[in-house]
Amino acid sequence: MTNTIPEYTTDSYDVAIIGAGHAGCEAALASARLGCETICFMVSTDTIAMMPCNPNIGGTSKGHLVREVDALGGEMGKNIDKAFIQSKMLNRSKGPAVHSLRAQADKQRYSNCMRAVMENTPHLTLRQAEVSELLYEELPDGTKRVTGVKTVSGAIYPCKAAVLCSGVYLNARCIFGEVSTYTGPNGTPRATHLTDSLIAAGIEMYRFKTGTPARIDRRSIDFSVMEEQRGDEPIVPFSFTNTPEELEREQALCYLAYTNEETHRIIRANLDRSPLFSGDIKGSGPRYCPSIEDKVVKFPEKDRHQIFIEPEGEYTNEMYLSGMSSSLPEEVQIAMYRSIRGLEHAKIVRNAYAIEYDCINPLQLYPTLECKKIHGFFSAGQSNGSSGYEEAAAQGIIAGINASRYVQGKDGITLDRSQAYIGVLIDDLVTKETHEPYRMMTSRAEYRLLLRQDNADLRLTEIGHEIGLIPEERYQKFLMKKQAIEDELERLSLAVLGASREVCETLVGLGSSEIHTATSLLELLRRPELSYESLAPLDPERKPLPADVIEQVVINIRYEGYIERQLQQVEQFKKLENRKIPADFDYDAVPSLRLEARQKLKLFRPVNVGQASRISGVSPADISVLLVFLTRVLRGEAQE
Amino acid sequence: MSTDTIAAIATGLSAGGISIIRISGPEASSIASGIFRVGNKENLSMPSFEQWESHTVHYGFVVEDDRIVDEVMLLYLKAPKTYTREDTIEIDCHGGIVVTKRILSLVLSHGARLAEPGEFTKRAFLNGRIDLSQAEAVMGIISAKNDLALRNSVKQLRGKLRTRILSVREEILNAVAEIEAALDQPEYYTLDGFRERLSESLERQSAEIRRLIRSADDGRMMSEGIRTVILGKPNVGKSSLLNALLEEDRAIVTDIAGTTRDTLTEEIRVNGISLVLVDTAGIRNTLDPVEEIGVRKAREQAQEADLILFVADASVPLDENDKEILRGHTNARVLALLNKSDLSPVTTEEDLKNLLSACGCDAEILSISAKDGAGLNELRDKISGMFFSGDILTDDEVAITAERQKECLYEAEASLSHVLEALSEDMPEDFLSIDLMGAYGALSRILGEEVDEDLIDRIFETFCLGK
């Protein structure tokens, strides 16, 4: 079709971002803020930073990602701080590594706030248009290089780099029961041409599936029979640039309801009409976000499932039914939802549906998110087979940074598994074969004790500043916080109490035990029954410190043993991570590699020995062989 | 330069002569000073490594808690003039697998790490001891030794023991999955009552691991030795050969765990070398389903063999079945035995030789009589000769594998006791995951399995996570 439309060449840019969802927004902002003339395309400006599924940002491990994006200088944390209507720190009773921040968002406000930032960022142009082709030139070595993008209307935008952030829009199909609509989420336009162009460029595509529950009119719900779910007071901001006091506001309520045997009976009786079970849906769905029909089939022993009923925002009466996504036919959905206590008279505003879409096989990417075959072509978010707003934003900022660095002739930035959840996420995507949408989980992070949401700024602000996304003023504030933590740790280690009767009595009074030799305050803080606050009577020298400084001090003291152990593991890990493998490395020249390992390594082209060691089918012996060979290459070059 | 210190048994399986334990790395002498004493039995004193010259030999004793384990010679080699270019110590002990392994265990418990297959050679190369032209050979050694280690690991760990390790591992993974599901979906899953259940389960799993360690110490866990499989058609005298070889060794024959009813496994010493002899069901093409199982087992055994003794019957003509048996195994070391030399032979060595070369097999031929013992001494000499000349591809890895497995069991046990400690200190559950996964990883290494996605898979299998 596009062939019949006359082409014309229009304005050129440094970087083109294809899509303005959560990946696209971060990518566009990072690229523009780093000085690249950036154009961001979307099928409709109404879809900028749209939240077509759950009405929240954060949650376990996802909250970590948001704080990391913020520490690097991204926008998501600031934006949810503007748009949240309820905030909660999950897992407070567990260790600090798994404390996870989650906020309910006013979806419309979230989208509007982000749109305002996008529209007012220098060097950033927004353009409503469907990108239909990626334009590139062939290079003598068989690789390709991006030269521009083309839209369905025939406009050619010359550019040096392009970032694919197409979300679930490529050849999207929404399905419930026997009904299919060929649209993007929420009935938005889909993108029908780009997949073919990518395939023609040699990109391997996957087809994935996800789903969303129905939205119910608030006025038709009987909340009196449900449990209320309240937010925290005071709240913890997502962005390190905000304080709790600045963000104080009235918080909305969520509600807890349950499915029952009747709900399950209705689902079972209609399974043959579910496109998931009839075989109509071919795309691979995620295991962690199953539809209610999946749950009922897979866990027949459970007689009820929890459902959280959450507001979509303050602008609307629509309520989201978390835990009940479905692709059953409309009338079955009505019966199913109405079988739930409190939802007997529920009126559906929007049906639940499943959505199928095209994405790329992310093994084709370097950890910089640049495509191995096409220089200057990057991809981020659901188009890389991930799921979730936060996973998308995390990849978006990295892709945006690296697209701009590519244009500016700088080396790409990567975070490794010991630095950030972002590093774990991207390493998993580009190294491990996945056949379902990928969701972040804290159990995927082997050094999770170090990768806490509370220290994301300590881990990444420095890097964000070096890249150029953290302004000087924020950086200076950060340095002061860092210094304050070190100073206080030192002070506590030097503040030694004698084993006097007074001291001992105070300790016993605090529910602790006596000391028998001189003991530092730092040592006392290791005792789980003592808190920083409770030790105040024994610490007259203490000066008031911000809560976030005290938090770091206490965590460092209390979990030192475990933290120390993980740091040692990281040291081992870094050894292999620092052994780079040249991009044009010839694996056929390495003798004694096993056939399977050789094939995998040739296919994946890992950037360092650490990444090579995580490829399934590559054994420790193969890694040893590789190390020996790389040493030989190095030494051979040194001799020449 | 490597930062850790590695150790391994540097000599082979010879139960008679001297065994050498090699230690290499910056901590070599401090580790050795923890277990080595000079002087005489009545008056032991600490060695003074800092005063000794490099490349000197010292007489003394290996001790464990002040008790003498063995009388040894210690070779003290300072970097860089050593094989690995690191500080190196070699302990020559009086041998015997048991003593050698005990000394290695001591070295490991004093802070050395068990060397990976080919690691001494790898270090020699990485430290510049071996020049570039030899790099390919180095890579070959690493990969061959590793294959051998894997092969040994798998074949030594079979049947019941594997099942026991799997079940401990399973229970650990379930516990972690429960924790992680609750951490991932705190509003859907609680950990109420979990700590009590876990601590009870940990007591059980730790006890089981300690039992496994004990059986490893007893030598019952893995059979060590050159895995020698006797192959041949039915009735060519395989069992008689086994019995004949066992005759004078009866006293030290042990039962080996994992013996199947279809094959008979015995351990013997031949000129001081340990041999695990496997007598197989006679192989021939068969339609009888019961016999077919035996034949398949025999073929599997042959696949894992270090040495194959192919037995042919001199009193009957060779036929297609003989050919068929030989055909699959031209890669392994084979000795061809023409049995029943006491009867009037129908088949000659010449006939057998023709058959062998038709199958592309260049095995040596010996005429024997299992019945009256003729040729058996030659056979023993032949086997030990092949072993010492390196013709049989087995080496320290066999003994090392068992040690490596034991080390993993110790690591798993230590991890579980960390978990118990954390439980008693009331640490939050996410801390328990760390050491539970440590134990899981250690047990998985024994089984030679990658653990990468196990946890995530288990969480999704067991728990209904969703939004």
Side-chain angles (χ1 to χ4, degrees), chain B residues 46-121:
Chain B
M46 291 288 288
S48 37
F49 284 103
E50 57 287 349
Q51 283 162 31
W52 290 352
E53 285 195 28
S54 184
H55 294 69
T56 50
V57 178
H58 304 269
Y59 169 81
F61 301 88
V62 168
V63 295
E64 180 177 15
D65 303 330
D66 296 331
R67 276 176 299 114
I68 292 175
V69 175
D70 198 12
E71 182 183 18
V72 301
M73 300 296 283
L74 182 142
L75 188 58
Y76 177 58
L77 308 160
K78 271 178 80 90
K81 284 190 177 171
T82 66
Y83 180 61
T84 55
R85 291 214 169 160
E86 300 172 334
D87 285 352
T88 300
I89 280 173
E90 291 187 358
I91 299 172
D92 294 13
C93 58
H94 281 96
I97 285 293
V98 178
V99 174
T100 311
K101 284 177 57 184
R102 182 133 162 244
I103 296 176
L104 177 63
S105 290
L106 276 173
V107 169
L108 298 179
S109 67
H110 279 75
R113 171 172 66 72
L114 192 62
E116 296 295 324
E119 193 170 3
F120 288 107
T121 312

Side-chain angles (χ1 to χ4, degrees), chain B residues 135-248:
Chain B
E136 295 202 4
V138 176
M139 287 181 264
I141 289 169
I142 292 171
S143 130
K145 286 209 174 196
N146 187 66
D147 283 352
L148 198 64
L150 276 182
R151 208 153 53 92
N152 283 322
S153 168
V154 172
K155 79 186 177 196
Q156 289 179 359
L157 190 77
R158 52 187 67 244
K160 256 188 175 164
L161 289 153
R162 190 182 160 78
T163 316
R164 281 167 68 190
I165 291 174
L166 278 174
S167 103
V168 175
R169 204 175 73 127
E170 181 79 2
E171 195 147 334
I172 292 171
L173 189 65
N174 286 338
V176 187
E178 190 168 349
I179 294 174
E180 294 302 319
L183 294 175
D184 194 68
Q185 302 262 296
E187 289 161 309
Y188 290 82
Y189 291 99
T190 72
L191 290 171
D192 294 346
F194 173 76
R195 303 177 84 93
E196 293 70 32
R197 270 185 290 127
L198 179 66
S199 80
E200 187 211 322
S201 151
L202 283 179
E203 307 276 354
R204 259 184 295 123
Q205 305 316 322
S206 302
E208 175 71 354
I209 290 177
R210 282 194 296 275
R211 276 195 293 277
L212 285 165
I213 292 174
R214 271 204 302 282
S215 59
D217 281 337
D218 294 349
R220 262 184 296 150
M221 182 166 172
M222 297 98 185
S223 53
E224 284 152 15
I226 301 169
R227 196 168 185 83
T228 308
V229 173
I230 306 175
L231 281 185
K233 283 187 304 190
N235 299 323
V236 293
K238 295 188 300 297
S239 299
S240 325
L241 174 64
L242 178 72
N243 287 329
L245 287 171
L246 285 175
E247 198 67 8
E248 47 205 77

Side-chain angles (χ1 to χ4, degrees), chain A residues 78-114:
Chain A
K78 289 178 183 169
N79 206 58
I80 182 61
D81 280 349
K82 293 174 195 165
F84 80 92
I85 52 177
Q86 192 202 72
S87 170
K88 224 176 188 172
M89 186 66 84
L90 303 172
N91 281 331
R92 263 192 206 277
S93 64
K94 310 293 192 307
V98 293
H99 291 189
S100 297
L101 195 52
R102 187 192 60 197
Q104 299 301 129
D106 181 305
K107 288 185 170 183
Q108 196 63 54
R109 199 188 308 153
Y110 187 90
S111 183
N112 289 347
C113 291
M114 186 64 88

Side-chain angles (χ1 to χ4, degrees), chain A residues 60 91 94-95 102 287-290 295 298 306 323 432 439 443 448 559 562 565 592 621 624 628 631 635, chain B residues 3 122 125-126 135 140 146 180 183-184 186-188 422 428-431 435 452 457 460 464-467:
Chain A
T60 51
N91 281 331
K94 310 293 192 307
R102 187 192 60 197
R287 286 174 293 179
Y288 54 79
C289 181
K295 293 185 191 179
K298 233 181 108 191
Q306 282 176 309
K432 294 178 183 168
R439 200 202 81 175
S443 47
R448 79 172 165 201
Y559 305 108
Y562 280 91
R565 265 169 64 195
S592 309
S624 279
V628 167
T631 307
R635 252 196 254 160
Chain B
T3 51
K122 178 178 147 192
F125 176 79
L126 292 177
N146 187 66
E180 294 302 319
L183 294 175
D184 194 68
E187 289 161 309
Y188 290 82
E429 287 86 351
D430 49 308
F431 288 89
D435 288 307
D452 216 26
D457 290 344
F460 289 135
C464 175
L465 301 183
K467 55 176 183 176

Side-chain angles (χ1 to χ4, degrees), chain A residues 370-624:
Chain A
E370 185 180 12
C371 182
K372 292 169 185 171
K373 287 183 196 146
I374 309 176
H375 303 285
F377 181 57
F378 296 78
S379 180
Q382 267 170 303
S383 55
N384 284 345
S386 66
S387 88
Y389 311 139
E390 304 80 0
E391 287 86 342
Q395 295 166 66
I397 189 169
I398 296 295
I401 289 169
N402 286 329
S404 75
R405 292 178 73 89
Y406 167 83
V407 169
Q408 292 159 356
K410 297 175 185 164
D411 283 342
I413 294 280
T414 54
L415 299 174
D416 71 37
R417 303 182 72 90
S418 71
Q419 288 175 298
Y421 272 81
I422 298 177
V424 176
L425 164 71
I426 294 178
D427 185 62
D428 279 350
L429 282 173
V430 305
T431 309
K432 294 178 183 168
E433 288 165 89
T434 39
H435 301 288
E436 61 177 345
Y438 177 99
R439 200 202 81 175
M440 196 71 249
M441 300 171 82
T442 64
S443 47
R444 296 191 195 270
E446 47 279 75
Y447 312 115
R448 79 172 165 201
L449 207 48
L450 307 177
L451 307 185
R452 304 184 307 273
Q453 56 91 32
D454 61 72
N455 70 357
D457 59 337
L458 293 164
R459 292 183 277 122
L460 300 173
T461 308
E462 203 99 49
I463 297 171
H465 180 252
E466 215 166 288
I467 291 168
L469 287 175
I470 297 291
E472 197 54 35
E473 190 195 335
R474 176 172 173 186
Y475 183 59
Q476 289 306 326
K477 264 193 181 164
F478 159 76
L479 289 181
M480 280 163 61
K481 173 179 172 183
K482 206 175 148 192
Q483 191 62 50
I485 297 166
E486 282 164 24
D487 291 349
E488 181 65 358
L489 278 169
E490 195 187 342
R491 190 186 71 80
L492 291 171
S493 71
L494 297 176
V496 176
L497 300 180
S500 70
R501 172 178 292 196
E502 262 176 277
V503 167
C504 287
E505 275 171 6
T506 312
L507 284 172
V508 170
L510 291 170
S512 191
S513 52
E514 299 180 357
I515 54 176
H516 304 291
T517 56
T519 306
S520 69
L521 286 171
L522 189 141
E523 283 303 322
L524 285 177
L525 265 175
R526 287 191 210 282
R527 298 182 172 187
E529 67 276 11
L530 295 175
S531 69
Y532 187 84
E533 291 70 30
S534 69
L535 280 179
L538 294 172
D539 188 9
E541 304 289 302
R542 178 183 295 185
K543 293 193 187 72
L545 284 173
D548 57 346
V549 171
I550 296 172
E551 183 185 23
Q552 291 309 309
V553 167
V554 172
I555 290 172
N556 273 306
I557 293 172
R558 194 144 289 172
Y559 305 108
E560 192 190 1
Y562 280 91
I563 290 174
E564 210 39 59
R565 265 169 64 195
Q566 292 221 321
L567 284 172
Q568 281 167 17
Q569 289 166 6
V570 167
E571 205 179 301
Q572 287 298 317
F573 158 84
K574 290 271 192 191
K575 276 189 196 156
L576 291 184
E577 227 49 28
N578 292 337
R579 290 301 296 269
K580 304 278 178 253
I581 304 174
D584 57 353
F585 188 73
D586 180 10
Y587 289 98
D588 286 328
V590 187
S592 309
L593 273 182
R594 286 170 320 114
L595 183 65
E596 187 193 3
R598 191 187 307 276
Q599 287 170 342
K600 286 279 178 73
L601 289 165
K602 281 166 77 171
L603 184 69
F604 283 67
R605 308 215 65 85
V607 293
N608 59 45
V609 180
Q611 195 191 3
S613 72
R614 289 188 292 277
I615 296 170
S616 87
V618 177
S619 74
D622 297 320
I623 293 302
S624 279

